[in-house]
């Protein structure tokens, strides 16, 4: 068996209408400012859900776009895989609610909890389902409503994280011309507590004290996570290029996880890809974890940055830690 088994047939994205600027965060009383946030992260604004916008509604909207662009009907979807760490409910998976909203009655639906790598992991699982004959057409979504799980008094985290959803239709390729050329996935649970939510799960169920100590919210050792992100994203890009037997010169566009402009620049430098061949939208959307890569891909396609015949390298790193990469020919 030889790749490519599957290709990306259509993409879409949806973000909340409400835009929050850096000045809006300062106005909430936090000791931070626009200059610091732009210089240290590259973020100028982010979208934050309001008025009943849920993970499922954002995911369904992004998915409808992806399905329309791929020319796929709800009944043709065999599986829905949703990467998220901020589901609408702890039980059941948000993917089943999205299935219901879309009317994909034949589809098996499940969530993947791999943080910022969730979408890439999802695409690789989708490709595997196609390769082993379990599916022909898979809807892969990366979606987050991180505004619901960040501590809005913690300037280390609340300036970064945001809401949104991106989706892609992954289908069996019959031509062998385009599709997923290589992939790489890794996880390391040794340093899980550098980026986590201590309470709310079975190990530390919610009690009235949880809310006092704010242990239900995301906690991050930013500087440590930064170092691991740079190192792991470098490994991820190198490994996917090697596996595809390609070099940086063969890559038309790098679409990295949009966590921080400095991590993106370091990843591009290590890979030997100049910034004019790197897609950046962290300035407009902030860090949307699992949603960041599919939003960036959909945005890049809408802007004409990804065209038929181009070879695109994706790389992600997130809580867990998890990291991974993909090379895809469009
Ligand atoms: O999505 C994947 C996982 N997440 C990431 O990849 C995020 C990785 N980490 C980062 O992006 C960066 O570490 C941050 C943006 C979170 C922080 O930037 P940094 O350059 O690593 O700052 P730092 O934590 O080393 O803090 C430098 C200084 C500190 O002050 P002192 O101790 O030097 O006086 C912080 O208290 O900046 C201060 N600081 C802030 N100042 C203004 C931290 N956050 C803020 C803030 N506004 N929001």
């Amino acid at each position: 068996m030889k790749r490519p088994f599957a290709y990306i047939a259509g993409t879409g994205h949806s973000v909340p209408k409400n835009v929050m600027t850096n000045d809006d965060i300062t106005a909430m009383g936090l000791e931070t400012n626009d200059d610091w946030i732009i210089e240290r992260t590259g973020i100028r604004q982010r979208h934050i859900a309001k008025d009943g916008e849920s993970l499922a509604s954002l995911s369904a909207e992004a998915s409808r776009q992806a399905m329309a662009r791929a020319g796929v009907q709800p009944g043709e979807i065999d599986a829905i895989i949703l990467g998220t760490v901020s589901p609408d409910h702890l039980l059941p998976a948000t993917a089943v609610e999205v299935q219901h909203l879309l009317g994909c009655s034949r589809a098996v639906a499940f969530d993947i909890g791999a943080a910022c790598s969730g979408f890439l992991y999802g695409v690789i699982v989708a490709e595997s389902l196609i390769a082993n004959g379990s599916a022909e057409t898979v809807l892969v979504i990366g979606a987050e409503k991180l505004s619901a799980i960040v501590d809005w008094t913690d300037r280390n985290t609340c300036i970064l994280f945001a809401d949104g959803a991106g989706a892609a239709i992954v289908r069996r390729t019959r031509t062998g011309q385009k599709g997923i050329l290589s992939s790489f996935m890794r996880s390391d649970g040794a340093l899980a507590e550098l980026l986590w939510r201590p309470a709310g799960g079975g190990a530390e169920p919610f009690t009235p004290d949880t809310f006092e100590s704010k242990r239900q919210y995301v906690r991050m050792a930013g500087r440590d996570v930064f170092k691991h992100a740079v190192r792991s994203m470098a490994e991820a890009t190198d490994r996917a290029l090697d596996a595809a037997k390609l070099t940086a010169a063969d890559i038309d566009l790098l679409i990295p996880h949009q966590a921080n402009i400095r991590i993106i620049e370091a990843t591009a430098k290590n890979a030997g890809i100049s910034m004019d061949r790197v897609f950046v939208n962290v300035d407009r959307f902030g860090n949307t974890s699992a949603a960041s890569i599919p939003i960036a891909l959909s945005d890049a396609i809408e802007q004409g940055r990804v065209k038929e015949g181009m070879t695109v390298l994706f790389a992600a790193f997130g809580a867990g830690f998890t990291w991974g990469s993909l090379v895809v020919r469009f």
Side-chain angles (χ1 to χ4, degrees):
M1 296 218 287
K2 203 168 163 292
R3 277 170 158 162
F5 301 109
Y7 71 107
I8 294 180
T11 56
H13 70 281
S14 173
V15 292
K17 285 181 199 65
N18 172 46
V19 171
M20 184 184 281
T21 64
N22 296 339
D23 286 340
D24 292 334
I25 294 181
T26 312
M28 286 161 52
L30 255 78
E31 250 184 74
T32 188
N33 59 74
D34 188 43
D35 289 345
W36 191 94
I37 299 173
I38 292 174
E39 193 194 312
R40 306 306 295 166
T41 74
I43 299 169
R44 292 174 183 273
Q45 62 167 54
R46 73 285 288 144
H47 293 254
I48 299 295
K50 256 170 98 169
D51 305 329
E53 283 167 318
S54 66
L55 197 75
S57 68
L58 293 168
S59 299
E61 180 54 32
S63 302
R64 283 190 193 100
Q65 278 177 25
M67 287 160 66
R69 288 171 183 165
V72 165
Q73 299 301 316
E76 292 177 81
I77 304 282
D78 299 309
I80 299 176
I81 303 172
L82 192 156
T84 191
V85 289
S86 51
D88 280 341
H89 304 284
L90 294 180
L91 183 78
T94 305
V96 295
E97 191 173 345
V98 176
Q99 174 202 23
H100 177 64
L101 289 174
L102 296 175
C104 297
S105 50
R106 289 181 50 250
V108 58
F110 55 94
D111 289 359
I112 287 188
C116 310
S117 308
F119 177 77
L120 292 190
Y121 277 29
V123 170
I124 296 164
V125 172
E127 184 205 28
S128 310
L129 291 175
I130 290 168
N132 74 22
S134 302
E136 291 292 313
T137 303
V138 183
L139 168 61
V140 183
I141 304 162
E144 301 289 1
K145 189 174 168 183
L146 298 172
S147 62
I149 62 167
V150 296
D151 174 359
W152 283 98
T153 63
D154 175 13
R155 68 178 183 175
N156 288 303
T157 51
C158 77
I159 57 152
L160 297 171
F161 295 119
D163 304 337
I169 299 292
V170 179
R171 298 199 99 172
R172 183 181 300 283
T173 177
R174 304 203 181 272
T175 66
Q177 302 293 314
K178 59 183 180 181
I180 297 165
L181 303 183
S182 71
S183 63
F184 170 75
M185 298 163 92
R186 279 288 184 279
S187 311
D188 180 0
L191 298 170
E193 292 180 16
L194 292 181
L195 178 47
W196 70 323
R197 292 174 73 192
E204 190 177 330
F206 289 120
T207 66
D209 292 342
T210 308
F211 299 98
E212 192 68 32
S213 60
K214 299 185 172 180
R215 286 175 64 80
Q216 77 273 33
Y217 292 128
V218 173
R219 292 188 176 184
M220 181 176 72
R223 208 178 297 187
D224 294 327
V225 174
F226 188 102
K227 283 185 208 143
H228 285 277
V230 170
R231 198 177 310 148
S232 302
M233 299 263 283
E235 182 192 10
T237 53
D238 289 351
R239 295 291 290 268
L241 284 175
D242 285 352
K245 299 192 172 54
L246 297 175
T247 68
D250 300 310
I251 298 302
D252 295 298
L253 194 68
L254 168 64
I255 302 186
H257 169 48
Q258 306 286 312
N260 183 319
I261 188 67
R262 293 183 292 137
I263 297 174
I264 294 172
E265 285 168 352
T267 302
K269 191 170 174 210
N270 173 76
I273 297 174
S274 55
M275 283 304 287
D276 58 318
R277 285 188 288 140
V278 180
F279 191 75
V280 176
N281 67 7
V282 69
D283 52 327
R284 290 182 290 135
F285 296 108
N287 180 345
T288 57
S289 190
S292 120
I293 286 184
I295 291 175
L297 172 59
S298 170
D299 193 13
I301 290 174
E302 284 181 6
Q303 290 182 30
R305 298 278 309 270
V306 176
K307 296 198 186 90
E308 199 88 352
M310 283 187 170
T311 305
V312 178
L313 171 62
F314 298 89
F317 172 84
F321 293 133
T322 61
W323 61 108
S325 51
L326 271 185
V327 175
V328 181
R329 180 153 306 132
F330 282 81

